[in-house]
Amino acid sequence: DTGVSQDPRHKITKRGQNVTFRCDPISEHNRLYWYRQTLGQGPEFLTYFQNEAQLEKSRLLSDRFSAERPKGSFSTLEIQRTEQGDSAMYLCASSPVRTGAGYTFGSGTRLTVV
Amino acid sequence: SQQGEEDPQALSIQEGENATMNCSYKTSINNLQWYRQNSGRGLVHLILIRSNEREKHSGRLRVTLDTSKKSSSLLITASRAADTASYFCATDAGSARQLTFGSGTQLTVLP
């Protein structure tokens, strides 16, 4: 297991279309996070899973966004009816439960809505 | 929302010089972490300092934490061109352990 994998790396979609991103975390990490990052800014928290349970969602996560982590392994983030403002880098990270451990981030999925 | 604010926003130095970046935050924290991000890539965890620690070292990195001032600094000694990247501080303040990131410092190390 070499790290957190995200797929696809890049996605260009037309406004109004639905998109789905996938994240495969480090297998022994119980916690999985989704962040969004726009140009020149730091990542902003979207949602967090411990195993298969979605424990927290940001107010940034409108009803067009949904995330799942079936069986506590990989996770998907779906954006319905995409808008130009959704254009950003979507980052996934995982971490173990123990305190004092940093996150391991994936390389991200860059979404462009045209 | 961003809790941490890095200073400066951009820093340009010559190879071999030291680089210092500062981070201020607003609420009580469990720990503070520093990450590096190369252009268009994910973030890489550099170092974590707990709220009861004042200084920590890792290789060419030195981090300090002053909880009374709610501030931290990251020092990179003997910088290299490969250190060129954006550096973010992130605070861990709650039981959910979600991190809150600052807006970053763009470091450019000139060869």
Side-chain angles (χ1 to χ4, degrees), chain B residues 45-106:
Chain B
H45 179 253
L46 295 176
I47 194 166
L48 179 152
I49 186 165
R50 293 182 173 81
S51 59
N52 62 353
E53 297 176 313
R54 292 295 166 259
E55 187 171 316
K56 201 161 183 180
H57 297 255
S58 176
R60 295 185 295 114
L61 305 180
R62 172 178 169 253
V63 171
T64 61
L65 179 65
D66 186 335
T67 53
S68 67
K69 295 181 179 178
K70 292 186 169 59
S71 67
S72 173
S73 67
L74 172 68
L75 168 68
I76 303 174
T77 60
S79 63
R80 306 166 181 168
D83 294 330
T84 294
S86 293
Y87 290 82
F88 295 91
C89 68
T91 53
D92 172 1
S95 58
R97 290 190 61 231
Q98 59 159 285
L99 293 179
T100 303
F101 287 83
S103 52
T105 292
Q106 172 61 51

Side-chain angles (χ1 to χ4, degrees), chain A residues 99-112:
Chain A
T99 58
Y103 289 7
T104 302
F105 278 86
S107 296
T109 294
R110 180 164 295 285
L111 173 66
T112 303

Side-chain angles (χ1 to χ4, degrees), chain A residues 31 35 37 56 96 101 103 106, chain B residues 2 35 37 42 96-99 102:
Chain A
R31 292 179 170 170
Y35 281 77
Q37 185 179 27
E56 191 165 342
Y103 289 7
Chain B
Q2 319 260 240
Y35 288 80
Q37 185 178 36
R97 290 190 61 231
Q98 59 159 285
L99 293 179

Side-chain angles (χ1 to χ4, degrees), chain A residues 22-69:
Chain A
R22 178 180 169 121
C23 171
D24 287 89
I26 292 175
S27 57
E28 58 265 30
H29 286 180
N30 302 85
R31 292 179 170 170
L32 185 148
Y33 306 81
W34 285 98
Y35 281 77
R36 182 172 70 186
Q37 185 179 27
T38 53
L39 198 62
Q41 297 296 313
E44 293 181 297
F45 171 75
L46 292 178
T47 191
Y48 147 66
F49 291 84
Q50 180 156 320
N51 300 314
E52 67 275 9
Q54 187 174 17
L55 297 185
E56 191 165 342
K57 294 196 293 186
S58 163
R59 286 171 293 178
L60 292 175
L61 213 66
S62 75
D63 56 7
R64 295 186 299 106
F65 287 69
S66 63
E68 295 182 342
R69 192 183 182 195

